[in-house]
Amino acid sequence: MENSRRTFLKIAGISALGLSAKPVLDAFALDIDMLNKKINAAPKNGALTAKRWGMVIDTRKLETEEALKPMIEVCHKIHNVPVHENKRHEIKWIWEEGFKHAFPDLEHEYVNERVEHLPFLVLCNHCKDAPCVRACPTKATFKQADGIVAMDFHRCIGCRFCMAACPYGSRSFNFRDPRPFIAEINKKYPTRMRGVVEKCNFCSERLDEGLQPACVEASNGALVFGDLENPESEVRQLLKTNYTIRRKVALGTGPSVYYIV
Amino acid sequence: MLELALKGSKRYYGWIAGLLAVIGVGFGCYLWQLSFGLGITGMSRDVSWGFYIAQFTFLVGVAASAVMLVLPYYLHHYKAFGRITILGEFLAVSSVTMCVLFIVVDLGQPMRLLNVMLYPTPNSVLFWDMIVLNGYLFLNIIIGWQVLQGERNGVAPPKWVKTLIYISIPWAVSIHTVTAFLYCGLPGRGFWLTAILAPRFLASAFAAGPAFLILLCLLVRKLTKFDPGKEQIQTLAKIVTYGIILNVFFFLCEVFVVFYSKIPEHMDHMIYLFKGLHGHGVLVPWMWTSIALMVFSIILLVNPFTRQKEGILLVACLCVFFGTWIDKGLGMISGGFVPSPLHYVNEYVPTAPEIAITIGVYATGFLVLTLLFKIATSVKEELEGV
């Protein structure tokens, strides 16, 4: 009796272990490249599509903090980004930084006076080779077929590995329930719960409906959005005719946001 | 053998009751954290990992150090360690238990923990860390239990245990290597972006772990009738000596590279930790204390006359333990986040509930350690007929 119970428990234990290991083994059974393959979903009718979305920010048209405000406000409003009093809990998708913070590797003591005081709009760079995508242990952060680094708020376990991995400080964590701190909830976009990470999504929900990102729409032409892999696109034309800089290029992440200074 | 953990003196039960009380307080705070969110901690947008992850990192090292007993005993047939390998393995079990708990309390959404297995992601180092930590936990539970049971029954443990033992040796190295890879593969974090991080982690592990084990051996000798042995303790002391010297050496290599190359992204973190940056330097006294403790312990350990005196050895081991604890448990993680990638200096200080949860996790680990050590020492007492 003793012996058979013991044997039973042993077999049950080993089977349980085996079952839990199955999905892990399945992952290895897949071609490793498959795992990194971009998620492909058929685009909706009328949706804006691209091979790799990118943005050009013309700072010549955005000389003051006031000029940046409408873009930041509209983004945070439509995406239900809460306003926390405690700076530690702050959530931001798009915000303003000085040159020495946005481009710490380019800053020097004799930097041009205009640039030194110029407010730079910063957001997720939707990197070509994003360190956050590499770090995420659940694929809650993933690369879409159109180059957008997207997030599944419902899969995120809140380990914050992506925040450590991002060299641009583009990610925020919900240190507490954000809902009481949203002035007016936009029902067309989900609110988040405490304990998950979030960031700019290049307005992929708007692209699906054929709309440009909200910040681009509010920018009076200072922000241009388009397909980096299409030589005819407006962004490519701008990149061809203007000298642009990107943030921390030496890290090899391949940011998709360009700045005309 | 489990029944051995139930038979103890009043002092034993008192200690367990005390631990349970501390665990209770920690658990209460954890429930608070669970309902409010991680906002009750001192972590922020800029310092997004804090005390929990730092303790995790330190304890992975303590866990890995079991290999310093297993390797000499099984690979070099250094018989003296046969007496205490079980203590090392059980220390590893309790340390990994704490590591896993620290990861869980650090998660924003702990109920989604299984997503790591449901959506396995081999390109994430965290996925591998999950595998190596759990593997190491099971290896040590199974090996420790089988060997002890064999010893108790006067028979050799089953043959397959030997295979697991050999696997456990590189596995111990892997847990701390993978843990270092969590940090040192991140492009924008200059403090961690160094190939010496994994070796440095291992060196400090092989100092801190055996130092703690020496302290435990001295305690076991005092509290039970089982004597882990003078020779065993002295051999461990030599291992601690090599470990701590290597740790300081690796650290100095890092200091040279950072300050001779003068690359700001690497240098600023060091300056923040040891001198303060832009008027912020909450960790400066701690870091220098850590250096002082490590250097002082080397002086005590290198000299055979002081090392061989167990009273002095005890002091040296305390210095090693707390010196490496400050290095990894305080400086290593928040130091990597300050200054931030956008070059802001936002400091991190843990809050009271965060510390209570941390102490609660430590108490859980000590509870596991107490129960396992009680079993192990009871078996040893039985065998020696004392």
Side-chain angles (χ1 to χ4, degrees), chain B residues 175-236:
Chain B
I175 62 168
H176 221 15
T177 305
V178 174
T179 302
F181 285 0
L182 286 175
Y183 312 111
C184 69
L186 304 177
R189 308 281 176 183
F191 186 57
W192 301 325
L193 192 70
T194 162
I196 200 94
L197 201 70
R200 204 178 139 194
F201 273 19
L202 283 163
S204 90
F206 296 153
F212 191 59
L213 204 59
I214 289 177
L215 297 173
L216 288 174
C217 284
L218 294 172
L219 199 65
V220 162
R221 181 194 280 164
K222 214 167 170 249
L223 296 177
T224 74
K225 296 190 193 90
F226 170 64
D227 182 0
K230 210 170 164 55
E231 187 197 336
Q232 284 78 354
I233 288 176
Q234 282 305 317
T235 310
L236 276 176

Side-chain angles (χ1 to χ4, degrees), chain B residues 42-43 47 49-52 272 282 334 338 346-350 354:
Chain B
M43 287 184 267
V47 185
W49 279 337
F51 218 43
Y52 301 147
Y272 165 69
V282 59
S334 51
V338 185
N346 286 321
E347 287 192 287
Y348 161 80
V349 179
E354 193 175 4

Side-chain angles (χ1 to χ4, degrees), chain B residues 3 12 49 51 82 89 140 146 174 179 260 268 284 286 311 371:
Chain B
E3 76 281 0
Y12 172 69
W49 279 337
F51 218 43
E89 281 153 357
N140 277 288
Q146 287 291 343
S174 83
T179 302
Y260 196 82
D268 289 341
V284 174
W286 288 95
L371 297 176

